[in-house]
Amino acid sequence: MTVSSGTARAPRHATPYEGVLDLVGWTPLVRLNRVTRGIRTPVFGKAEFMNPGGSVKDRIGLAMIEAAEEAGLLKPGGTIVEGTSGNTGLALAMAAATRGYRCIFTMPDKMSREKVKLLRAFGAEVVITPTAVPPDHPEHYVNRARTIAESTPGGFLADQFYNRANPEAHYRTTGPEVWEQTGGRVTHFFAGAGTGGTISGAGRYLKEMNPDIRVIGVDPVGSVLSGFYHTGAVDRSEPYKVEGLGNDKVPGTLDIEYLDDYLTVSDGEAFAMARRLVAEEGLFVGGSTGLIVHAALAEARRLDDPDACAVAVLCDWGERYLTKQYDDEWMRNNGFLAQPRATVAEMVAAKLEPLPGLLTVTPSTPVRMAISTLSSHHVSQLPVVVNGECIGSVAERRMMSAVLADPEVLEQDVESVMEAPYPVLDENADAEAATRLLSGGAQAVLIRANGALDGILTRHDLVRALAAAP
């Protein structure tokens, strides 16, 4: 399957639309090129972040509202209530805005601040609930939504985890689009499952068109869905950071009979791939997309088949995660990004009491002058330097002991009380190298910059830096 690189394209949006909801669907299919280097199996992404609300959930918002209106469950002036990770709430809020409904959404507290702000921008009321509660707990976000709906006059619980309008919307739209956009050549379809609507609806359609198409679910480590698929048992869920996919119970809208496999991906792998998609493909996506694409690439590499055609769902827009996976500090604090490498030069620059320059003495410097230098600058040791090289060191402790034993030592040269030279590190050396030397017996470490001795780190500097660290 090839993609045209020419400039001539069919016109898009050539005529006006009646409203924003007419923009939902027919999202582009885009080939992944750089993250697939070395992989012969072509992999395409279904760019669901190009829906007007920025996510795949736009497809089910209006569908659930229309089904409720038809069934008489939602009446003019009513209130839509839902437990959401954010994207379904936004899809419902966008559709509700065009029909005049009020919205109340419950969200687990692990969700990004951006999602909360987006929902409130649409006029929705957002109720934050704890993440770390079991699925049967009254404060679980789904149960809290149900309670709110029951106690709100005119309240309607969208109930995306059990609402059959959810997978049906993907059966009518997502599946047919993938089939048509690939010319019926799709061989593998990768999607996650929060509710299971996308993979169940699209998977059902694709299986009807070609039973040999492999529909593969992708789950974050900690979710129960992959384990349920493989064993039929629902284990206890464990916390995970990826938003929007996975579950702590099996939703009623997940139809596993249309799935051929279920893979798991860790949070770290998901976030790393999402960041790669931005940096290498220009696709600004969320962590759930990284999770799905990571699995799709692994399977494509295993297949090694240029005649296959893998399609992965690109779930939502990455701007919702600027304070999460795209924030280096958040990534480091959560163990997904290594601490920045500090150099010994940076450690010297960060000293709490910096000196005007490297203080040194020569072998012929009188002990009296050396002690005066130590006292004037409030330091306890000095390197002995000849022709730019450290040949020894003097320490306040040893000089004082020698002077107390024999005051005439004050007039002697430093060479008479000199100790071993300090080790020397290049300014770009890892700070950990200095730490190893200082903790291994060295009293100080000298820093060489541009060929010259330029700074010093002592044990005292290291201890103070550790004590000041947050």
Side-chain angles (χ1 to χ4, degrees), residues 87-123:
N87 287 334
T88 298
L90 186 59
L92 287 167
M94 183 173 62
T98 69
R99 280 169 151 77
Y101 295 119
R102 176 189 174 209
C103 293
I104 303 175
F105 301 121
T106 59
M107 288 181 68
D109 56 15
K110 79 171 185 177
M111 303 307 168
S112 68
R113 295 196 303 270
E114 290 88 347
K115 287 183 178 179
V116 176
K117 290 181 178 180
L118 275 169
L119 291 174
R120 288 174 176 161
F122 274 87

PDB file of all heavy atoms in Angstrom, residues 87-123:
ATOM      1  N   ASN A  87     -12.214  12.333  27.801  1.00  0.00           N
ATOM      2  CA  ASN A  87     -12.538  12.464  26.386  1.00  0.00           C
ATOM      3  C   ASN A  87     -14.008  12.202  26.080  1.00  0.00           C
ATOM      4  O   ASN A  87     -14.610  12.904  25.273  1.00  0.00           O
ATOM      5  CB  ASN A  87     -11.644  11.539  25.559  1.00  0.00           C
ATOM      6  CG  ASN A  87     -10.224  12.053  25.485  1.00  0.00           C
ATOM      7  OD1 ASN A  87      -9.968  13.242  25.599  1.00  0.00           O
ATOM      8  ND2 ASN A  87      -9.278  11.144  25.285  1.00  0.00           N
ATOM      9  N   THR A  88     -14.598  11.189  26.714  1.00  0.00           N
ATOM     10  CA  THR A  88     -16.034  10.953  26.501  1.00  0.00           C
ATOM     11  C   THR A  88     -16.838  12.123  27.046  1.00  0.00           C
ATOM     12  O   THR A  88     -17.823  12.550  26.435  1.00  0.00           O
ATOM     13  CB  THR A  88     -16.476   9.643  27.178  1.00  0.00           C
ATOM     14  OG1 THR A  88     -15.764   8.551  26.597  1.00  0.00           O
ATOM     15  CG2 THR A  88     -17.973   9.427  26.996  1.00  0.00           C
ATOM     16  N   GLY A  89     -16.406  12.649  28.186  1.00  0.00           N
ATOM     17  CA  GLY A  89     -17.086  13.820  28.729  1.00  0.00           C
ATOM     18  C   GLY A  89     -17.050  14.978  27.761  1.00  0.00           C
ATOM     19  O   GLY A  89     -18.061  15.676  27.555  1.00  0.00           O
ATOM     20  N   LEU A  90     -15.899  15.207  27.145  1.00  0.00           N
ATOM     21  CA  LEU A  90     -15.785  16.304  26.189  1.00  0.00           C
ATOM     22  C   LEU A  90     -16.678  16.068  24.976  1.00  0.00           C
ATOM     23  O   LEU A  90     -17.325  16.994  24.476  1.00  0.00           O
ATOM     24  CB  LEU A  90     -14.326  16.458  25.748  1.00  0.00           C
ATOM     25  CG  LEU A  90     -14.021  17.660  24.859  1.00  0.00           C
ATOM     26  CD1 LEU A  90     -14.385  18.964  25.560  1.00  0.00           C
ATOM     27  CD2 LEU A  90     -12.549  17.664  24.463  1.00  0.00           C
ATOM     28  N   ALA A  91     -16.729  14.819  24.484  1.00  0.00           N
ATOM     29  CA  ALA A  91     -17.602  14.501  23.349  1.00  0.00           C
ATOM     30  C   ALA A  91     -19.064  14.733  23.705  1.00  0.00           C
ATOM     31  O   ALA A  91     -19.839  15.290  22.912  1.00  0.00           O
ATOM     32  CB  ALA A  91     -17.383  13.051  22.928  1.00  0.00           C
ATOM     33  N   LEU A  92     -19.456  14.321  24.914  1.00  0.00           N
ATOM     34  CA  LEU A  92     -20.838  14.551  25.357  1.00  0.00           C
ATOM     35  C   LEU A  92     -21.117  16.042  25.533  1.00  0.00           C
ATOM     36  O   LEU A  92     -22.182  16.541  25.155  1.00  0.00           O
ATOM     37  CB  LEU A  92     -21.091  13.812  26.670  1.00  0.00           C
ATOM     38  CG  LEU A  92     -21.211  12.283  26.588  1.00  0.00           C
ATOM     39  CD1 LEU A  92     -21.128  11.669  27.972  1.00  0.00           C
ATOM     40  CD2 LEU A  92     -22.524  11.889  25.900  1.00  0.00           C
ATOM     41  N   ALA A  93     -20.147  16.761  26.116  1.00  0.00           N
ATOM     42  CA  ALA A  93     -20.330  18.197  26.346  1.00  0.00           C
ATOM     43  C   ALA A  93     -20.469  18.955  25.036  1.00  0.00           C
ATOM     44  O   ALA A  93     -21.264  19.892  24.924  1.00  0.00           O
ATOM     45  CB  ALA A  93     -19.165  18.743  27.159  1.00  0.00           C
ATOM     46  N   MET A  94     -19.682  18.569  24.045  1.00  0.00           N
ATOM     47  CA  MET A  94     -19.753  19.227  22.745  1.00  0.00           C
ATOM     48  C   MET A  94     -21.119  18.991  22.106  1.00  0.00           C
ATOM     49  O   MET A  94     -21.744  19.927  21.577  1.00  0.00           O
ATOM     50  CB  MET A  94     -18.639  18.686  21.840  1.00  0.00           C
ATOM     51  CG  MET A  94     -18.562  19.348  20.482  1.00  0.00           C
ATOM     52  SD  MET A  94     -17.103  18.795  19.548  1.00  0.00           S
ATOM     53  CE  MET A  94     -17.463  17.029  19.383  1.00  0.00           C
ATOM     54  N   ALA A  95     -21.588  17.745  22.149  1.00  0.00           N
ATOM     55  CA  ALA A  95     -22.900  17.444  21.587  1.00  0.00           C
ATOM     56  C   ALA A  95     -24.003  18.099  22.410  1.00  0.00           C
ATOM     57  O   ALA A  95     -24.989  18.621  21.859  1.00  0.00           O
ATOM     58  CB  ALA A  95     -23.111  15.933  21.531  1.00  0.00           C
ATOM     59  N   ALA A  96     -23.860  18.100  23.732  1.00  0.00           N
ATOM     60  CA  ALA A  96     -24.870  18.699  24.609  1.00  0.00           C
ATOM     61  C   ALA A  96     -24.992  20.197  24.366  1.00  0.00           C
ATOM     62  O   ALA A  96     -26.088  20.773  24.463  1.00  0.00           O
ATOM     63  CB  ALA A  96     -24.520  18.427  26.068  1.00  0.00           C
ATOM     64  N   ALA A  97     -23.857  20.845  24.052  1.00  0.00           N
ATOM     65  CA  ALA A  97     -23.877  22.282  23.806  1.00  0.00           C
ATOM     66  C   ALA A  97     -24.754  22.638  22.614  1.00  0.00           C
ATOM     67  O   ALA A  97     -25.370  23.708  22.573  1.00  0.00           O
ATOM     68  CB  ALA A  97     -22.452  22.790  23.578  1.00  0.00           C
ATOM     69  N   THR A  98     -24.838  21.746  21.649  1.00  0.00           N
ATOM     70  CA  THR A  98     -25.660  22.019  20.460  1.00  0.00           C
ATOM     71  C   THR A  98     -27.136  21.718  20.705  1.00  0.00           C
ATOM     72  O   THR A  98     -27.976  22.077  19.889  1.00  0.00           O
ATOM     73  CB  THR A  98     -25.170  21.175  19.274  1.00  0.00           C
ATOM     74  OG1 THR A  98     -25.451  19.785  19.515  1.00  0.00           O
ATOM     75  CG2 THR A  98     -23.675  21.366  19.048  1.00  0.00           C
ATOM     76  N   ARG A  99     -27.434  21.060  21.844  1.00  0.00           N
ATOM     77  CA  ARG A  99     -28.815  20.667  22.122  1.00  0.00           C
ATOM     78  C   ARG A  99     -29.349  21.264  23.421  1.00  0.00           C
ATOM     79  O   ARG A  99     -30.487  20.998  23.803  1.00  0.00           O
ATOM     80  CB  ARG A  99     -28.909  19.132  22.190  1.00  0.00           C
ATOM     81  CG  ARG A  99     -28.959  18.468  20.809  1.00  0.00           C
ATOM     82  CD  ARG A  99     -28.770  16.980  20.938  1.00  0.00           C
ATOM     83  NE  ARG A  99     -29.434  16.234  19.904  1.00  0.00           N
ATOM     84  CZ  ARG A  99     -29.004  16.107  18.656  1.00  0.00           C
ATOM     85  NH1 ARG A  99     -27.896  16.720  18.291  1.00  0.00           N
ATOM     86  NH2 ARG A  99     -29.671  15.385  17.782  1.00  0.00           N
ATOM     87  N   GLY A 100     -28.531  22.006  24.123  1.00  0.00           N
ATOM     88  CA  GLY A 100     -29.003  22.707  25.303  1.00  0.00           C
ATOM     89  C   GLY A 100     -29.094  21.885  26.563  1.00  0.00           C
ATOM     90  O   GLY A 100     -29.873  22.224  27.469  1.00  0.00           O
ATOM     91  N   TYR A 101     -28.297  20.819  26.680  1.00  0.00           N
ATOM     92  CA  TYR A 101     -28.315  20.001  27.891  1.00  0.00           C
ATOM     93  C   TYR A 101     -27.246  20.457  28.873  1.00  0.00           C
ATOM     94  O   TYR A 101     -26.189  20.962  28.486  1.00  0.00           O
ATOM     95  CB  TYR A 101     -28.068  18.524  27.547  1.00  0.00           C
ATOM     96  CG  TYR A 101     -29.153  17.894  26.717  1.00  0.00           C
ATOM     97  CD1 TYR A 101     -28.860  17.378  25.457  1.00  0.00           C
ATOM     98  CD2 TYR A 101     -30.448  17.792  27.195  1.00  0.00           C
ATOM     99  CE1 TYR A 101     -29.844  16.783  24.679  1.00  0.00           C
ATOM    100  CE2 TYR A 101     -31.450  17.203  26.431  1.00  0.00           C
ATOM    101  CZ  TYR A 101     -31.144  16.705  25.168  1.00  0.00           C
ATOM    102  OH  TYR A 101     -32.125  16.124  24.406  1.00  0.00           O
ATOM    103  N   ARG A 102     -27.519  20.243  30.148  1.00  0.00           N
ATOM    104  CA  ARG A 102     -26.530  20.463  31.201  1.00  0.00           C
ATOM    105  C   ARG A 102     -25.712  19.186  31.352  1.00  0.00           C
ATOM    106  O   ARG A 102     -26.199  18.088  31.076  1.00  0.00           O
ATOM    107  CB  ARG A 102     -27.266  20.786  32.502  1.00  0.00           C
ATOM    108  CG  ARG A 102     -26.385  20.942  33.736  1.00  0.00           C
ATOM    109  CD  ARG A 102     -27.256  21.042  34.978  1.00  0.00           C
ATOM    110  NE  ARG A 102     -26.462  21.061  36.201  1.00  0.00           N
ATOM    111  CZ  ARG A 102     -26.873  20.608  37.369  1.00  0.00           C
ATOM    112  NH1 ARG A 102     -28.090  20.083  37.489  1.00  0.00           N
ATOM    113  NH2 ARG A 102     -26.100  20.676  38.433  1.00  0.00           N
ATOM    114  N   CYS A 103     -24.463  19.306  31.805  1.00  0.00           N
ATOM    115  CA  CYS A 103     -23.597  18.136  31.970  1.00  0.00           C
ATOM    116  C   CYS A 103     -22.930  18.127  33.339  1.00  0.00           C
ATOM    117  O   CYS A 103     -22.466  19.164  33.818  1.00  0.00           O
ATOM    118  CB  CYS A 103     -22.495  18.115  30.901  1.00  0.00           C
ATOM    119  SG  CYS A 103     -23.080  17.843  29.216  1.00  0.00           S
ATOM    120  N   ILE A 104     -22.870  16.943  33.953  1.00  0.00           N
ATOM    121  CA  ILE A 104     -22.093  16.718  35.175  1.00  0.00           C
ATOM    122  C   ILE A 104     -21.231  15.490  34.931  1.00  0.00           C
ATOM    123  O   ILE A 104     -21.736  14.429  34.564  1.00  0.00           O
ATOM    124  CB  ILE A 104     -22.998  16.474  36.405  1.00  0.00           C
ATOM    125  CG1 ILE A 104     -23.971  17.640  36.616  1.00  0.00           C
ATOM    126  CG2 ILE A 104     -22.140  16.272  37.655  1.00  0.00           C
ATOM    127  CD1 ILE A 104     -24.965  17.404  37.753  1.00  0.00           C
ATOM    128  N   PHE A 105     -19.914  15.637  35.147  1.00  0.00           N
ATOM    129  CA  PHE A 105     -19.002  14.529  34.903  1.00  0.00           C
ATOM    130  C   PHE A 105     -18.176  14.228  36.149  1.00  0.00           C
ATOM    131  O   PHE A 105     -17.738  15.148  36.843  1.00  0.00           O
ATOM    132  CB  PHE A 105     -18.055  14.843  33.744  1.00  0.00           C
ATOM    133  CG  PHE A 105     -18.779  15.119  32.454  1.00  0.00           C
ATOM    134  CD1 PHE A 105     -18.615  16.334  31.801  1.00  0.00           C
ATOM    135  CD2 PHE A 105     -19.628  14.177  31.900  1.00  0.00           C
ATOM    136  CE1 PHE A 105     -19.282  16.593  30.624  1.00  0.00           C
ATOM    137  CE2 PHE A 105     -20.295  14.431  30.717  1.00  0.00           C
ATOM    138  CZ  PHE A 105     -20.123  15.646  30.072  1.00  0.00           C
ATOM    139  N   THR A 106     -17.979  12.946  36.410  1.00  0.00           N
ATOM    140  CA  THR A 106     -17.058  12.524  37.472  1.00  0.00           C
ATOM    141  C   THR A 106     -15.778  12.030  36.802  1.00  0.00           C
ATOM    142  O   THR A 106     -15.818  11.377  35.755  1.00  0.00           O
ATOM    143  CB  THR A 106     -17.657  11.403  38.331  1.00  0.00           C
ATOM    144  OG1 THR A 106     -17.963  10.269  37.509  1.00  0.00           O
ATOM    145  CG2 THR A 106     -18.931  11.879  39.016  1.00  0.00           C
ATOM    146  N   MET A 107     -14.637  12.361  37.435  1.00  0.00           N
ATOM    147  CA  MET A 107     -13.340  11.977  36.875  1.00  0.00           C
ATOM    148  C   MET A 107     -12.411  11.517  37.989  1.00  0.00           C
ATOM    149  O   MET A 107     -12.376  12.133  39.056  1.00  0.00           O
ATOM    150  CB  MET A 107     -12.684  13.167  36.156  1.00  0.00           C
ATOM    151  CG  MET A 107     -13.323  13.546  34.842  1.00  0.00           C
ATOM    152  SD  MET A 107     -12.439  14.948  34.102  1.00  0.00           S
ATOM    153  CE  MET A 107     -10.871  14.177  33.694  1.00  0.00           C
ATOM    154  N   PRO A 108     -11.622  10.452  37.750  1.00  0.00           N
ATOM    155  CA  PRO A 108     -10.610  10.053  38.744  1.00  0.00           C
ATOM    156  C   PRO A 108      -9.545  11.131  38.876  1.00  0.00           C
ATOM    157  O   PRO A 108      -9.236  11.848  37.916  1.00  0.00           O
ATOM    158  CB  PRO A 108     -10.019   8.769  38.150  1.00  0.00           C
ATOM    159  CG  PRO A 108     -11.015   8.297  37.145  1.00  0.00           C
ATOM    160  CD  PRO A 108     -11.671   9.524  36.615  1.00  0.00           C
ATOM    161  N   ASP A 109      -8.962  11.233  40.049  1.00  0.00           N
ATOM    162  CA  ASP A 109      -8.008  12.318  40.302  1.00  0.00           C
ATOM    163  C   ASP A 109      -6.670  12.142  39.600  1.00  0.00           C
ATOM    164  O   ASP A 109      -5.809  13.024  39.670  1.00  0.00           O
ATOM    165  CB  ASP A 109      -7.780  12.501  41.808  1.00  0.00           C
ATOM    166  CG  ASP A 109      -7.324  11.224  42.513  1.00  0.00           C
ATOM    167  OD1 ASP A 109      -6.915  10.264  41.819  1.00  0.00           O
ATOM    168  OD2 ASP A 109      -7.385  11.180  43.754  1.00  0.00           O
ATOM    169  N   LYS A 110      -6.443  11.024  38.911  1.00  0.00           N
ATOM    170  CA  LYS A 110      -5.184  10.861  38.174  1.00  0.00           C
ATOM    171  C   LYS A 110      -5.224  11.558  36.815  1.00  0.00           C
ATOM    172  O   LYS A 110      -4.193  11.670  36.150  1.00  0.00           O
ATOM    173  CB  LYS A 110      -4.855   9.377  37.982  1.00  0.00           C
ATOM    174  CG  LYS A 110      -5.624   8.691  36.861  1.00  0.00           C
ATOM    175  CD  LYS A 110      -5.069   7.287  36.601  1.00  0.00           C
ATOM    176  CE  LYS A 110      -5.742   6.632  35.412  1.00  0.00           C
ATOM    177  NZ  LYS A 110      -5.175   5.308  35.085  1.00  0.00           N
ATOM    178  N   MET A 111      -6.391  12.022  36.389  1.00  0.00           N
ATOM    179  CA  MET A 111      -6.499  12.622  35.065  1.00  0.00           C
ATOM    180  C   MET A 111      -5.850  14.004  35.026  1.00  0.00           C
ATOM    181  O   MET A 111      -5.762  14.699  36.037  1.00  0.00           O
ATOM    182  CB  MET A 111      -7.968  12.701  34.629  1.00  0.00           C
ATOM    183  CG  MET A 111      -8.665  11.357  34.617  1.00  0.00           C
ATOM    184  SD  MET A 111      -7.768  10.115  33.649  1.00  0.00           S
ATOM    185  CE  MET A 111      -8.609   8.609  34.123  1.00  0.00           C
ATOM    186  N   SER A 112      -5.437  14.402  33.842  1.00  0.00           N
ATOM    187  CA  SER A 112      -4.688  15.650  33.693  1.00  0.00           C
ATOM    188  C   SER A 112      -5.566  16.869  33.977  1.00  0.00           C
ATOM    189  O   SER A 112      -6.777  16.853  33.757  1.00  0.00           O
ATOM    190  CB  SER A 112      -4.119  15.759  32.275  1.00  0.00           C
ATOM    191  OG  SER A 112      -5.147  15.937  31.323  1.00  0.00           O
ATOM    192  N   ARG A 113      -4.909  17.938  34.433  1.00  0.00           N
ATOM    193  CA  ARG A 113      -5.623  19.188  34.697  1.00  0.00           C
ATOM    194  C   ARG A 113      -6.212  19.760  33.418  1.00  0.00           C
ATOM    195  O   ARG A 113      -7.252  20.423  33.444  1.00  0.00           O
ATOM    196  CB  ARG A 113      -4.677  20.200  35.336  1.00  0.00           C
ATOM    197  CG  ARG A 113      -4.168  19.810  36.703  1.00  0.00           C
ATOM    198  CD  ARG A 113      -3.560  20.997  37.442  1.00  0.00           C
ATOM    199  NE  ARG A 113      -2.481  21.628  36.719  1.00  0.00           N
ATOM    200  CZ  ARG A 113      -1.205  21.284  36.822  1.00  0.00           C
ATOM    201  NH1 ARG A 113      -0.873  20.279  37.614  1.00  0.00           N
ATOM    202  NH2 ARG A 113      -0.271  21.921  36.163  1.00  0.00           N
ATOM    203  N   GLU A 114      -5.527  19.511  32.296  1.00  0.00           N
ATOM    204  CA  GLU A 114      -6.024  20.039  31.026  1.00  0.00           C
ATOM    205  C   GLU A 114      -7.423  19.512  30.706  1.00  0.00           C
ATOM    206  O   GLU A 114      -8.279  20.251  30.211  1.00  0.00           O
ATOM    207  CB  GLU A 114      -5.067  19.670  29.887  1.00  0.00           C
ATOM    208  CG  GLU A 114      -3.738  20.396  29.933  1.00  0.00           C
ATOM    209  CD  GLU A 114      -2.700  19.683  30.770  1.00  0.00           C
ATOM    210  OE1 GLU A 114      -3.069  18.751  31.530  1.00  0.00           O
ATOM    211  OE2 GLU A 114      -1.527  20.051  30.679  1.00  0.00           O
ATOM    212  N   LYS A 115      -7.650  18.235  30.985  1.00  0.00           N
ATOM    213  CA  LYS A 115      -8.966  17.655  30.699  1.00  0.00           C
ATOM    214  C   LYS A 115     -10.050  18.286  31.566  1.00  0.00           C
ATOM    215  O   LYS A 115     -11.163  18.559  31.096  1.00  0.00           O
ATOM    216  CB  LYS A 115      -8.933  16.147  30.915  1.00  0.00           C
ATOM    217  CG  LYS A 115      -8.179  15.389  29.828  1.00  0.00           C
ATOM    218  CD  LYS A 115      -8.252  13.897  30.088  1.00  0.00           C
ATOM    219  CE  LYS A 115      -7.561  13.107  28.990  1.00  0.00           C
ATOM    220  NZ  LYS A 115      -7.595  11.652  29.239  1.00  0.00           N
ATOM    221  N   VAL A 116      -9.733  18.503  32.822  1.00  0.00           N
ATOM    222  CA  VAL A 116     -10.704  19.139  33.717  1.00  0.00           C
ATOM    223  C   VAL A 116     -11.055  20.537  33.214  1.00  0.00           C
ATOM    224  O   VAL A 116     -12.224  20.929  33.147  1.00  0.00           O
ATOM    225  CB  VAL A 116     -10.151  19.204  35.153  1.00  0.00           C
ATOM    226  CG1 VAL A 116     -11.121  19.954  36.065  1.00  0.00           C
ATOM    227  CG2 VAL A 116      -9.887  17.804  35.695  1.00  0.00           C
ATOM    228  N   LYS A 117     -10.038  21.285  32.824  1.00  0.00           N
ATOM    229  CA  LYS A 117     -10.271  22.643  32.340  1.00  0.00           C
ATOM    230  C   LYS A 117     -11.069  22.655  31.041  1.00  0.00           C
ATOM    231  O   LYS A 117     -11.912  23.533  30.816  1.00  0.00           O
ATOM    232  CB  LYS A 117      -8.934  23.361  32.157  1.00  0.00           C
ATOM    233  CG  LYS A 117      -8.232  23.679  33.469  1.00  0.00           C
ATOM    234  CD  LYS A 117      -6.913  24.412  33.235  1.00  0.00           C
ATOM    235  CE  LYS A 117      -6.249  24.764  34.559  1.00  0.00           C
ATOM    236  NZ  LYS A 117      -4.967  25.489  34.369  1.00  0.00           N
ATOM    237  N   LEU A 118     -10.813  21.678  30.170  1.00  0.00           N
ATOM    238  CA  LEU A 118     -11.564  21.595  28.917  1.00  0.00           C
ATOM    239  C   LEU A 118     -13.045  21.363  29.185  1.00  0.00           C
ATOM    240  O   LEU A 118     -13.908  22.010  28.581  1.00  0.00           O
ATOM    241  CB  LEU A 118     -11.011  20.463  28.051  1.00  0.00           C
ATOM    242  CG  LEU A 118      -9.813  20.799  27.161  1.00  0.00           C
ATOM    243  CD1 LEU A 118      -9.222  19.529  26.574  1.00  0.00           C
ATOM    244  CD2 LEU A 118     -10.236  21.743  26.043  1.00  0.00           C
ATOM    245  N   LEU A 119     -13.332  20.429  30.080  1.00  0.00           N
ATOM    246  CA  LEU A 119     -14.736  20.144  30.390  1.00  0.00           C
ATOM    247  C   LEU A 119     -15.427  21.366  30.981  1.00  0.00           C
ATOM    248  O   LEU A 119     -16.572  21.689  30.621  1.00  0.00           O
ATOM    249  CB  LEU A 119     -14.829  18.959  31.355  1.00  0.00           C
ATOM    250  CG  LEU A 119     -14.431  17.600  30.774  1.00  0.00           C
ATOM    251  CD1 LEU A 119     -14.437  16.533  31.865  1.00  0.00           C
ATOM    252  CD2 LEU A 119     -15.369  17.205  29.653  1.00  0.00           C
ATOM    253  N   ARG A 120     -14.742  22.047  31.871  1.00  0.00           N
ATOM    254  CA  ARG A 120     -15.346  23.241  32.475  1.00  0.00           C
ATOM    255  C   ARG A 120     -15.504  24.367  31.471  1.00  0.00           C
ATOM    256  O   ARG A 120     -16.419  25.177  31.575  1.00  0.00           O
ATOM    257  CB  ARG A 120     -14.507  23.682  33.671  1.00  0.00           C
ATOM    258  CG  ARG A 120     -14.661  22.725  34.861  1.00  0.00           C
ATOM    259  CD  ARG A 120     -13.738  23.042  36.009  1.00  0.00           C
ATOM    260  NE  ARG A 120     -13.999  22.145  37.140  1.00  0.00           N
ATOM    261  CZ  ARG A 120     -13.164  21.919  38.141  1.00  0.00           C
ATOM    262  NH1 ARG A 120     -11.979  22.532  38.167  1.00  0.00           N
ATOM    263  NH2 ARG A 120     -13.487  21.089  39.119  1.00  0.00           N
ATOM    264  N   ALA A 121     -14.621  24.401  30.462  1.00  0.00           N
ATOM    265  CA  ALA A 121     -14.756  25.413  29.412  1.00  0.00           C
ATOM    266  C   ALA A 121     -16.053  25.229  28.639  1.00  0.00           C
ATOM    267  O   ALA A 121     -16.633  26.202  28.133  1.00  0.00           O
ATOM    268  CB  ALA A 121     -13.556  25.345  28.459  1.00  0.00           C
ATOM    269  N   PHE A 122     -16.545  24.000  28.547  1.00  0.00           N
ATOM    270  CA  PHE A 122     -17.806  23.710  27.876  1.00  0.00           C
ATOM    271  C   PHE A 122     -19.005  23.920  28.808  1.00  0.00           C
ATOM    272  O   PHE A 122     -20.140  23.644  28.424  1.00  0.00           O
ATOM    273  CB  PHE A 122     -17.818  22.278  27.350  1.00  0.00           C
ATOM    274  CG  PHE A 122     -17.208  22.129  25.986  1.00  0.00           C
ATOM    275  CD1 PHE A 122     -15.851  21.938  25.841  1.00  0.00           C
ATOM    276  CD2 PHE A 122     -17.986  22.187  24.839  1.00  0.00           C
ATOM    277  CE1 PHE A 122     -15.276  21.806  24.590  1.00  0.00           C
ATOM    278  CE2 PHE A 122     -17.430  22.061  23.583  1.00  0.00           C
ATOM    279  CZ  PHE A 122     -16.065  21.870  23.447  1.00  0.00           C
ATOM    280  N   GLY A 123     -18.732  24.377  30.028  1.00  0.00           N
ATOM    281  CA  GLY A 123     -19.810  24.635  30.963  1.00  0.00           C
ATOM    282  C   GLY A 123     -20.201  23.441  31.810  1.00  0.00           C
ATOM    283  O   GLY A 123     -21.195  23.495  32.547  1.00  0.00           O
TER     284      GLY A 123
END
